[in-house]
Structure formats: structure tokens, C-alpha cells
């Protein structure tokens, strides 16, 4: 079993779409998969038509108790389960902060689930803080969607610096270009320079496509709502690359 | 390491849910359900279709069809139902072979297999082969039934269009056409994680219209029924139930009729050369028939007895060569294992020669079985065995079978005890051979008349006899093989160098076997003393010795 985080310290870069589509493709490939919605906005939960829990606090994640396993919901797809977002994830930072081994709390909480799933995908909110550190220690691989804009690239560099400061290896991070519009000159320029000069940038890219935006409408992964579409094929290519990377050496 | 491997391993369950299982997708749960309620399986009445499933749930749920997986599977067993006899079944569905419990469908082992299974030694190495091989030994697997499966999945959606359970509708038909009525039809409710309550609610609604299938039900029995197969119908062993008062002539006919059935049942397998056990069972049945005729003399008119003994003897002779060759070729691996590395390949010309010889022997047997004379003999024999007994024409024909059985068994037993005791004083090979034949005769008698005596005591006597027979049998087989090997090796037409090498290898084999015989001889005394122990003798006397008032 392994854990993949889809993370960015910048919002609106296509994190949830990536997490949802990769989770679906993994499940289709026969991996028993769990997607964990860590984002208080509960987008992934919404995509899978699961009702976010409003009442209970994020006890599960914070205490790593059995509550967590009980909160898991099956999705509409075989091999794919969801740990729904909880609005009180908003308070996660604080809660993690108050406990011992505060940077490993998430890792510990997920421990009992690792036996059950081949792949756990974390859909993370856009923050750099204690939650981010928890995500990094809980994941084998952190996948960062990157829009080819100056600001986005700057945020990515900040992330790498942050990791260095925290004494983490930059090898844990892979980036891929997301929401790419090839007709925009800046996108082309940044794409070229990033893919040639930076290590850890995947070859697959996800174009800016309306089929992806419409996920909110269909509430289904792209390969389900538009199986032959460019969007579906792009995610498939990305998954193939990520899969090779994840399962290459144990 | 094994990340790739482990992902491959994980992917197997998906393939297996491909409707090829006995109850399709419903029968095996995915991992994410392991923490859940178990699936509930309903038996569907004839004509219950998809629309009715939808209508039953319509008040609260809608159902949405997903793919229907069409597949087929075939059940294999040996001709003598060895797997079914152990309550096992071997199911092949194109890509993989699964060993299951016959009555509960539980998967015991599985292995990938691209072509239909034939012999145990052709299966991929692993636990499945190990278990199957220990049961079927040299027997070939034959196709018993092929069932075609339709496994349709449905999602059950709540008012928010969220999937809250899965249904799997499995149908099994005897043909590949969807037109025919299925002989099995099941609907399985698969609970989903986090929606256990919904699955229970769905099952409650369905329970009002459908009956829950028992957990132990498997599709195999109905598949056998659909194809008119009844497990365990054939056995190479004699299974007669005699009543003690039955006149001996009639009882003997019952025994011989069953032996004739065994002979007939094996003919097609011998001709098709499916495995070597058809011939073996056939020959044993012939030998037992002859043995019955000669050991129960006086039951039929003497002329008839002699006539049929001769005819049956000819059938034995017809098949002698083929059986000898089968035995030798079967032992090839053993011979190779005892030869030192330098000689290992030197018996190759011998083996090649015998293989070619076997092909000839097989066609001789096949021709013999297809000859007009053969069918005439069997028809005649059949007629004789089905004629009502005419007690007056034979001296012992009207005697109650129990009397005759006791007398003949006891006489044979005493004779074995006498000659065995003699051998203890001077062990000569010839005497051991003779004793072996005596033992075999006794064994047949015990088998013929097993139903007349208390099973527990019979089993004890038989198992003691078996141990003695195994010892003697091993001894004699080794003698036979030594002679056989030498005579074949001498007669081989080879260039000189090769011939010399064959003889050296043969010599080594013969010497090894002779040494083994010495060990067996040394063991004989102990085994025989147990067989002829006073306690055992007493027991046999009680069971078989002449009772007051017996007429003979």
C-alpha cells in the first residue's frame, strides 16, 4: 500500500479534479483505493455525491480512532471508497498542533487503513502549515499541480524552499502542468522552461478543458462522464506516469 | 521489490469477478466490503426478470444497470469421481483453474491455466496441483459439465442518485443461448461501505417477494442435474449389497453383473487412451470375475464355469502387454531417480522402444475390443448373468450365500496362515509369489461378501490383509520388473556401444531392485506374524468358521 497526496500551496489549480480522476483510474486498474478529502470545502466529497458530515467534529483524524473507519463511504465505483470531508477539518491545524508528535498525527491516523487499501489519495487544502507537514510525512509521493504562470511557479519554488527548511527531500515531490492553455504564449514559454530545467516535473500535462470544469455539473470523474474525451485521455496518461512512479520500487 | 508483483496480485480478484464464478460477482466480496455485513443471496423464481427487480424496489430506490458479464465454466473430475468423492470440485473458466468445496463452493486453491486441465502433472506447480495430484494420481481429468453464466450488475440509487448498494443478478444456463431457461438464477445484494443500513433495508424489501438462498447452496449440484450427471455413480470398486439368505447362484450373478458393468464402462476410455486406469479397472474386473468363478465353484454348472473362465482368461491375455508397458512407463521417473547421474540417460533407448511398442499394444487391444468375437462373448456373458438362476443345475446354486461365503473365506484364510508359516522357515521367492496370489484371492472374497459381515470387523481384517498384500505385491512387482527390464534390454536392436550402455544401466536398476527385495523379505516376517496372530486367527474363526446348522 502507498499514499499519494495531491497538494498545492496555491488554490484553484485543479487539485480536487486531479485527486478524483486519479483515484477513479486507480480503482479501475484494480487497486483498492481510498480518497481522503482533507479540504474543508468538501469538493471531492461533493463530486462523489456523498453528504459531508455536519455534526461530528473531526474526531477521527485527530484521534486516529475507529471512528475514522466508520466514516468511510463507498462511492458509486467499485474499489473506490471516500473518507468524506468534515467541516471541522477547518480546525485540523489547531488540533494537530495541540498533540504530541504533531507532525505525524495524520500518518498515525491513517495507519489502520493502510492494510485495507492499496492506495490512499489525499486531497489537500491549499496551505503551508502544520497540516501540510502532516501530509508530507504521511505520503510516499506528493503530486503538485502547477499552472504555467509566474505566480504559480513562484509558489512552487516557495514550496520547495519550505520543504528544504523542514529538512525534507525535494525528491518526494512531483509536479505536473495543469490547466495548460497552449494558445497562451506565456504558458508555452513557462512549460518549456519548466520541463527542461526542473527535475521532478512529469511529462504528462492536463490541458484547460471545459469537460474538467463540468465535473461539478455531472458529479462524476471525467472518464465516466466523457470517456473518450481529451480530458479523460490526459488524466489516463497522467495516471499511467504516476502509477509507474508509485509502484516502481516498493 | 514486489510492488509490481503485488499490484498484479491485487488485480486477480477483478478478473475473477468477471462472471465466471459459480455465482458470478455476488459470490466473492471485494476487499472494501470485508468490514461489512455479508451479501444476501436470493433465489429467483422462474420468470422473475429485471423489470420485476426494479418494480420491487421502486418505492424508495431506482436501479441502474451496469455491464453484464458473460462467461462459462467447466467442471472436471476423473472418470471415477475422485474429486467429488472428496467433496471437491475443479472448475476451469478459460483463464484459471479453481479447486472448490463441492457443497459450499469455498475456494481452496486457484492457479492460472490457459488450456483445459488434463493430468495433474501438467498443472502449474503449487498448492492446487499438490492437492489435486494426491487425489487423482495418474487419472486424467474429464469434462463433466459446461455451464454458461450471465452476471449482470446493478447499482441501487437513492433519491440523491447516490449508489447505496449493488445488486448482482446471476443466471446459469446449460447452453450459450440466452433464450433457454436458466437452471440457476440468483440475486445478490452487496452492501457498500458506509451504507450497511440501506443494504439491510433493500434485503428486507426483497425478502417479502423472494426466498433467501442458503449459504451452503452451490450451483454445482444443479449443474450436474441439468446435464443428467450424478456424482459418484462409477467406481472401480465393487459395491454390492447381498442379503445372507440369497441363493449362492443368484448372489454370484449380482456380483458378476456389477463386474461386467465395470468392464463395459471402461471400454471407451481404454480405446480413447484417456489414462491408464481405464485398462487397469477393466483388468481388475476381469480378474475378479474369473476369481469368482473359480473360487465359487459349484454355484454354476461346471461346463458353464469352465467356458466363461476360459473366455475371461482370453480377455486378460489380450490386455497383458499393454498393462505391463503402462506399469513400466509409469515407473520411468522412478528408474531415472535411482540411476546415478552418469547412467541417467542410458535407459532412453529402452524407454523409446517401449513407447513405440505401447502404441502397437494399444492398437491390438483396441482392435480386440472392437472385434465381433469380443462383443459376442460379452453379450453371451450378459445373457448368462441375467438369466434367472436354475438352482437344480448346479450343486451349490441354492445354498444361502452367507454359508458359502463363510466357508470359502475361512478356508482361504487358513491356507494363507499355513503357507505363510512355512515361508517363515525358508523364504523362497516362489513361495512368496504363491502366497501373494492366495492373498489376492482372499481379498476378492472379502470384497465380494463385505456386505454380509459387520463392517468394523471386516475393515480390520481387510486392512491387515492389505498390509501383507502390499509387502508381497512390492516384492513380486520388483521381480517382474527385473525380468521384464532384462528381457527387453537384451532384445533391443542397437549399435554395440549404445547397447552396452543400456545393459549397464539396466544392470544397475536390477541390482537396486534386488537389494530392495531383500529389505522387503526382512520385513515380511513381522507383517505376517501380525496377520497370523492368535488374536487375529480367533477373530476370523468367530466370523467365518462353520456355524451350527450351516448346510453346505
Amino acid at each position: 500500500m502507498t499514499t499519494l497526496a495531491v497538494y498545492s500551496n496555491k488554490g484553484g489549480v485543479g487539485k480536487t479534479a486531479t485527486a478524483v480522476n486519479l483515484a477513479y483510474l486507480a480503482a479501475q486498474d484494480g487497486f483498492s483505493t481510498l480518497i481522503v478529502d482533507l479540504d474543508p470545502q468538501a469538493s471531492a466529497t461533493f463530486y462523489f455525491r456523498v453528504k459531508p458530515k455536519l455534526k461530528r467534529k473531526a474526531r477521527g483524524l485527530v484521534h486516529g480512532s475507529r471512528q475514522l473507519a466508520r466514516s468511510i463511504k463507498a462511492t458509486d465505483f467499485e474499489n473506490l471508497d471516500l473518507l468524506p470531508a468534515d467541516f471541522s477539518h477547518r480546525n485540523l491545524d489547531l488540533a494537530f498542533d495541540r498533540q504530541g508528535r504533531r507532525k505525524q498525527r495524520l500518518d498515525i491516523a491513517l495507519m489502520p487503513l493502510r492494510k485495507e487499501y492499496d492506495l490512499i489519495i489525499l486531497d489537500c487544502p491549499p496551505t503551508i502549515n502544520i497540516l501540510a507537514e502532516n501530509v508530507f510525512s504521511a505520503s510516499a509521493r506528493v503530486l503538485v499541480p502547477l499552472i504555467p504562470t509566474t505566480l504559480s511557479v513562484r509558489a512552487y519554488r516557495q514550496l520547495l524552499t519550505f520543504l528544504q527548511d523542514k529538512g525534507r527531500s525535494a525528491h518526494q515531490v512531483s509536479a505536473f502542468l495543469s490547466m495548460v492553455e497552449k494558445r497562451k504564449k506565456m504558458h508555452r514559454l513557462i512549460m518549456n522552461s519548466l520541463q527542461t530545467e526542473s527535475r521532478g516535473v512529469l511529462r504528462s500535462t492536463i490541458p484547460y478543458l471545459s469537460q474538467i470544469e463540468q465535473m461539478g455539473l455531472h458529479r462524476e470523474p471525467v472518464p465516466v462522464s466523457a470517456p473518450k474525451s481529451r480530458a479523460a485521455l490526459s488524466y489516463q496518461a497522467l495516471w499511467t506516469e504516476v502509477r509507474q512512479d508509485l509502484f516502481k520500487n516498493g | 521489490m514486489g510492488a509490481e508483483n503485488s499490484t498484479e496480485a491485487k488485480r486477480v480478484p477483478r478478473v475473477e469477478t468477471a462472471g465466471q464464478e459459480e455465482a458470478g460477482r455476488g459470490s466473492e466480496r471485494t476487499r472494501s466490503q470485508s468490514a461489512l455485513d455479508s451479501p444476501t443471496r436470493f433465489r429467483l423464481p422462474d420468470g422473475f426478470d429485471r423489470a420485476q427487480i426494479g418494480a420491487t424496489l421502486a418505492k424508495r430506490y431506482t436501479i441502474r444497470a451496469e455491464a453484464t458479464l458473460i462467461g462459462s465454466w467447466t467442471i472436471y473430475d476423473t472418470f471415477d469421481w475422485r474429486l467429488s468423492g472428496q467433496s471437491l470440485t475443479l472448475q476451469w473458466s478459460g483463464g484459471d483453474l479453481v479447486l472448490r468445496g463441492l457443497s459450499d463452493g469455498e475456494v481452496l486453491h486457484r492457479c492460472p491455466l490457459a488450456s483445459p486441465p488434463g493430468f495433474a502433472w501438467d498443472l502449474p506447480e503449487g498448492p492446487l496441483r499438490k492437492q489435486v495430484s494426491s487425489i487423482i494420481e495418474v487419472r486424467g481429468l474429464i469434462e463433466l459439465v459446461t455451464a454458461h453464466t450471465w452476471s449482470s450488475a446493478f447499482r441501487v440509487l437513492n433519491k440523491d442518485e447516490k449508489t447505496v448498494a449493488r445488486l448482482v443478478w446471476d443466471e446459469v444456463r446449460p447452453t450459450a443461448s440466452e433464450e433457454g431457461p436458466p437452471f440457476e438464477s440468483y440475486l445478490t445484494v452487496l452492501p457498500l461501505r458506509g451504507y450497511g443500513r440501506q443494504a439491510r433495508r433493500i434485503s428486507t424489501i426483497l425478502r417479502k417477494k423472494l426466498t433467501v438462498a442458503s449459504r451452503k447452496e452451490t450451483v454445482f449440484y444443479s449443474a450436474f442435474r441439468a446435464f443428467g450427471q450424478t456424482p459418484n455413480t462409477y467406481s472401480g470398486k465393487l459395491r454390492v449389497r447381498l442379503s445372507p439368505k440369497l441363493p449362492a447362484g443368484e448372489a454370484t450373478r449380482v456380483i458378476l453383473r456389477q463386474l461386467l458393468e465395470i468392464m463395459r464402462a471402461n471400454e471407451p476410455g481404454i480405446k480413447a487412451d484417456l489414462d491408464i486406469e481405464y485398462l487397469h479397472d477393466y483388468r481388475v474386473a476381469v480378474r475378479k470375475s474369473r476369481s469368482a468363478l473359480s473360487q465359487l465353484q459349484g454355484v454354476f454348472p461346471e461346463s458353464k464355469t469352465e467356458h466363461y473362465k476360459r473366455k475371461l482368461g482370453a480377455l486378460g491375455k489380450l490386455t497383458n502387454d499393454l498393462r505391463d508397458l503402462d506399469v513400466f512407463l509409469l515407473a520411468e521417473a522412478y528408474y531415472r531417480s535411482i540411476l546415478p547421474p552418469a547412467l541417467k540417460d542410458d535407459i532412453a533407448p529402452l524407454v523409446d522402444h517401449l513407447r513405440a511398442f505401447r502404441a502397437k499394444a494399444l492398437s491390438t487391444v483396441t482392435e480386440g475390443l472392437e472385434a465381433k468375437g469380443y462383443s459376442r462373448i460379452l453379450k453371451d456373458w450378459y445373457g448368462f448373468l441375467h438369466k434367472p438362476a436354475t438352482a437344480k443345475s448346479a450343486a451349490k446354486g441354492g445354498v444361502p450365500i452367507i454359508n458359502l461365503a463363510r466357508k470359502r473365506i475361512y478356508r482361504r484364510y487358513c491356507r494363507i496362515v499355513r503357507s505363510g508359516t512355512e515361508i517363515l522357515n525358508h523364504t523362497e521367492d516362489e513361495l512368496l509369489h504363491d502366497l501373494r496370489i492366495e492373498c489376492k484371492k482372499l481379498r476378492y472374497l472379502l470384497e465380494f461378501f463385505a456386505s454380509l459381515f459387520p463392517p468394523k470387523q471386516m475393515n480390520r481384517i481387510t486392512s491387515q490383509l492389505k498390509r501383507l498384500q502390499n509387502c508381497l505385491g512390492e516384492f513380486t512387482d520388483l521381480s517382474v520388473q527385473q525380468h521384464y527390464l532384462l528381457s527387453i534390454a537384451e532384445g533391443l536392436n542397437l549399435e554395440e556401444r549404445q547397447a552396452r550402455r543400456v545393459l549397464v544401466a539396466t544392470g544397475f536398476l536390477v541390482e537396486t531392485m534386488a537389494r530392495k527385495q531383500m529389505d522387503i523379505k526382512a520385513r515380511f516376517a513381522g507383517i505376517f506374524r501380525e496377520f497370523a496372530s492368535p488374536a487375529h486367527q480367533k477373530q476370523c474363526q468367530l466370523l467365518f468358521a462353520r456355524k451350527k446348522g450351516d448346510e453346505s
Side-chain angles (χ1 to χ4, degrees):
Chain A
M1 111 84 232
T2 188
T3 303
L4 171 75
V6 182
Y7 172 84
S8 169
N9 47 342
K10 195 177 177 310
V13 294
K15 276 189 308 292
T16 299
T18 305
V20 166
N21 286 309
L22 293 188
Y24 170 79
L25 291 167
Q28 283 295 300
D29 273 1
F31 295 97
S32 159
T33 306
L34 176 72
I35 177 164
V36 179
D37 191 354
L38 290 173
D39 191 339
Q41 288 178 7
S43 310
T45 307
F46 171 80
Y47 281 152
F48 286 115
R49 296 170 198 264
V50 173
K51 285 185 191 147
K53 282 197 290 184
L54 292 167
K55 288 178 197 155
R56 276 186 216 130
K57 292 198 172 172
R59 278 263 164 78
L61 273 180
V62 176
H63 292 108
S65 66
R66 249 176 274 151
Q67 191 80 42
L68 188 68
R70 248 183 271 153
S71 310
I72 292 175
K73 293 278 188 185
T75 66
D76 287 7
F77 311 101
E78 270 183 273
N79 286 334
L80 181 55
D81 291 348
L82 170 84
L83 184 59
D86 190 302
F87 279 8
S88 49
H89 277 168
R90 220 178 301 213
N91 305 322
L92 271 179
D93 262 348
L94 229 105
F96 283 139
D97 222 4
R98 277 200 299 261
Q99 300 189 6
R101 295 179 70 187
R102 54 196 200 115
K103 291 171 193 172
Q104 276 91 42
R105 297 310 305 177
L106 181 62
D107 194 21
I108 294 165
L110 293 176
M111 211 63 93
L113 299 178
R114 292 183 204 271
K115 272 183 238 130
E116 257 186 87
Y117 294 96
D118 302 325
L119 177 62
I120 296 179
I121 295 186
L122 307 175
D123 181 26
C124 310
T127 49
I128 288 197
N129 51 25
I130 189 80
L131 174 60
E133 282 192 71
N134 268 281
V135 165
F136 288 119
S137 36
S139 315
R141 171 65 61 192
V142 178
L143 190 62
V144 182
L146 202 53
I147 305 178
T149 61
T150 332
L151 281 181
S152 186
V153 172
R154 191 167 159 265
Y156 182 53
R157 300 233 158 95
Q158 276 172 357
L159 171 65
L160 294 179
T161 315
F162 168 79
L163 284 175
Q164 236 161 19
D165 292 348
K166 298 289 173 191
R168 298 197 153 272
S169 157
H171 291 301
Q172 194 188 359
V173 180
S174 299
F176 70 94
L177 291 163
S178 172
M179 300 169 88
V180 175
E181 293 176 81
K182 280 218 171 142
R183 58 192 169 80
K184 286 189 180 164
K185 191 178 175 194
M186 187 181 65
H187 277 204
R188 287 202 306 273
L189 279 173
I190 293 179
M191 253 178 84
N192 279 339
S193 69
L194 266 179
Q195 284 189 320
T196 47
E197 76 191 40
S198 303
R199 277 199 315 156
V201 179
L202 301 178
R203 270 170 291 121
S204 318
T205 62
I206 303 294
Y208 181 86
L209 289 166
S210 58
Q211 291 136 349
I212 300 172
E213 284 194 313
Q214 283 167 9
M215 270 176 73
L217 220 61
H218 299 300
R219 299 176 78 175
E220 277 171 341
V222 173
V224 178
S225 57
K228 295 267 157 66
S229 65
R230 238 183 98 200
L233 297 178
S234 309
Y235 279 116
Q236 180 62 59
L238 178 63
W239 164 240
T240 307
E241 204 174 350
V242 169
R243 177 185 161 156
Q244 270 164 10
D245 176 46
L246 277 178
F247 296 100
K248 134 187 84 181
N249 46 15
Chain B
M1 33 119 286
E4 274 304 322
N5 293 342
S6 75
T7 62
E8 284 312 307
K10 291 293 154 42
R11 299 182 70 192
V12 173
R14 277 187 65 78
V15 179
E16 109 196 351
T17 56
Q20 297 160 339
E21 295 296 311
E22 49 109 349
R25 288 178 281 208
S27 66
E28 283 189 34
R29 298 151 63 194
T30 56
R31 280 153 57 93
S32 56
Q33 285 157 1
S34 54
L36 295 178
D37 305 351
S38 40
T40 316
R41 194 155 63 127
F42 295 95
R43 185 172 268 290
L44 293 187
D46 287 346
F48 199 88
D49 60 13
R50 189 179 138 182
Q52 279 171 284
I53 299 172
T56 311
L57 298 174
K59 215 167 160 191
R60 277 172 186 275
Y61 304 100
T62 49
I63 63 168
R64 191 168 294 168
E66 297 202 302
T68 296
L69 299 168
I70 299 173
S72 67
W73 44 255
T74 305
I75 295 177
Y76 289 83
D77 202 341
T78 60
F79 181 66
D80 52 356
W81 302 90
R82 290 193 185 184
L83 294 168
S84 304
Q86 305 273 325
S87 199
L88 294 171
T89 191
L90 201 54
Q91 187 187 25
W92 182 65
S93 44
D96 67 349
L97 187 66
V98 190
L99 183 69
R100 287 172 178 270
L102 181 60
S103 51
D104 56 12
E106 191 192 341
V107 175
L108 302 169
H109 299 294
R110 67 167 69 236
C111 67
L113 189 72
S115 50
F119 288 98
W121 48 78
D122 296 330
L123 299 177
E125 297 246 20
L128 185 144
R129 168 163 154 181
K130 205 170 157 204
Q131 189 172 358
V132 169
S133 165
S134 72
I135 298 167
I136 71 170
E137 299 172 318
V138 301
R139 290 233 74 152
L141 291 164
I142 52 176
E143 187 183 319
L144 295 179
V145 299
T146 294
H148 298 265
T149 57
W150 284 256
S151 179
S152 313
F154 298 92
R155 288 193 283 145
V156 183
L157 309 180
N158 65 7
K159 297 275 188 272
D160 294 341
E161 301 230 312
K162 168 74 183 75
T163 308
V164 292
R166 285 173 191 282
L167 300 177
V168 179
W169 179 22
D170 287 300
E171 292 177 291
V172 192
R173 292 188 174 82
T175 62
S177 147
E178 218 171 331
E179 304 293 303
F183 60 76
E184 277 298 355
S185 185
Y186 285 114
L187 186 70
T188 309
V189 181
L190 300 176
L192 292 180
R193 188 161 193 164
Y195 297 93
R197 219 162 46 133
Q198 306 275 357
R200 283 195 290 277
R201 189 175 289 165
I202 291 164
S203 294
T204 308
I205 298 173
L206 290 173
R207 212 166 272 145
K208 287 176 190 153
K209 282 206 166 178
L210 303 170
T211 46
V212 178
S214 118
R215 212 171 261 260
K216 286 219 147 187
E217 258 171 63
T218 69
V219 73
F220 304 123
Y221 289 111
S222 50
F224 285 140
R225 223 176 300 124
F227 285 85
Q229 299 262 26
T230 317
N232 304 319
T233 37
Y234 171 84
S235 164
K237 293 204 180 80
L238 199 57
R239 294 187 290 197
V240 285
R241 292 217 59 81
L242 301 173
S243 84
K245 292 265 164 2
L246 201 65
E250 200 39 58
T252 311
R253 278 189 164 86
V254 171
I255 293 164
L256 290 170
R257 280 202 293 260
Q258 201 178 93
L259 291 169
L260 176 59
E261 268 170 41
I262 293 174
M263 284 163 61
R264 289 238 109 130
N266 281 292
E267 285 167 9
I270 298 173
K271 290 189 229 170
D273 197 21
L274 296 177
D275 67 45
I276 64 171
E277 293 298 282
Y278 291 94
L279 182 72
H280 181 58
D281 279 8
Y282 177 91
R283 283 169 54 82
V284 170
V286 170
R287 217 159 41 220
K288 282 180 187 164
S289 303
R290 281 193 75 204
S291 185
L293 285 176
S294 54
Q295 293 203 73
L296 303 174
Q297 253 168 19
V299 162
F300 301 134
E302 205 189 322
S303 62
K304 291 280 179 199
T305 304
E306 285 310 312
H307 172 73
Y308 288 118
K309 261 173 74 182
R310 245 192 341 269
K311 295 291 181 196
L312 289 166
L315 297 184
K317 274 201 200 89
L318 171 71
T319 52
N320 275 347
D321 278 350
L322 185 56
R323 176 63 190 170
D324 285 349
L325 287 159
D326 282 344
V327 171
F328 178 86
L329 290 168
L330 193 67
E332 185 200 336
Y334 163 71
Y335 292 148
R336 281 186 194 271
S337 75
I338 57 176
L339 279 173
L343 301 176
K344 242 180 211 358
D345 294 325
D346 291 346
I347 56 163
L350 197 88
V351 174
D352 291 345
H353 169 76
L354 291 177
R355 280 227 174 86
F357 194 24
R358 185 185 183 273
K360 264 186 236 155
L362 178 64
S363 61
T364 308
V365 168
T366 308
E367 277 162 31
L369 294 182
E370 274 164 2
K372 275 208 185 100
Y374 175 77
S375 57
R376 209 168 37 238
I377 295 171
L378 255 60
K379 209 175 141 198
D380 190 21
W381 181 223
Y382 180 93
F384 174 74
L385 294 178
H386 284 81
K387 246 190 344 218
T390 46
K392 278 166 204 153
S393 58
K396 301 267 163 63
V399 173
I401 190 62
I402 181 79
N403 297 358
L404 194 67
R406 279 208 192 105
K407 194 169 161 188
R408 296 290 151 89
I409 292 174
Y410 195 56
R411 194 166 71 187
R412 188 66 64 190
Y413 176 76
C414 292
R415 199 183 288 175
I416 292 171
V417 171
R418 260 199 319 276
S419 21
T421 314
E422 235 166 86
I423 295 174
L424 288 181
N425 300 328
H426 36 89
T427 327
E428 273 170 42
D429 290 5
E430 275 307 304
L431 294 177
L432 284 171
H433 293 312
D434 293 346
L435 187 64
R436 178 190 183 219
I437 292 167
E438 291 284 322
C439 287
K440 207 173 227 177
K441 285 180 176 165
L442 176 60
R443 179 75 176 278
Y444 289 163
L445 287 176
L446 293 177
E447 204 181 310
F448 297 157
F449 302 126
S451 62
L452 296 171
F453 300 97
K456 215 170 142 191
Q457 289 164 33
M458 279 306 255
N459 285 343
R460 204 176 309 144
I461 293 169
T462 309
S463 68
Q464 290 232 353
L465 177 60
K466 242 190 232 173
R467 285 184 54 205
L468 184 59
Q469 275 189 294
N470 285 346
C471 168
L472 293 167
E474 215 182 324
F475 184 85
T476 316
D477 283 348
L478 288 168
S479 302
V480 171
Q481 286 187 55
Q482 291 171 52
H483 289 297
Y484 193 71
L485 275 174
L486 283 172
S487 70
I488 300 280
E490 275 166 15
L492 275 184
N493 189 12
L494 295 171
E495 56 124 329
E496 212 189 311
R497 241 187 77 215
Q498 213 180 10
R500 252 182 281 145
R501 299 200 68 119
V502 170
L503 281 175
V504 171
T506 310
F508 184 88
L509 288 175
V510 168
E511 198 215 314
T512 311
M513 289 193 263
R515 208 173 309 138
K516 208 168 158 196
Q517 277 185 304
M518 303 289 276
D519 297 345
I520 297 172
K521 254 189 201 174
R523 272 203 334 254
F524 169 78
I527 293 173
F528 179 78
R529 281 209 180 92
E530 217 171 294
F531 177 81
S533 71
H536 193 227
Q537 286 198 42
K538 179 87 193 158
Q539 198 182 22
C540 287
Q541 192 185 7
L542 281 174
L543 265 182
F544 306 122
R546 198 187 160 102
K547 300 277 184 301
K548 233 182 168 179
D550 281 1
E551 51 171 312
S552 60

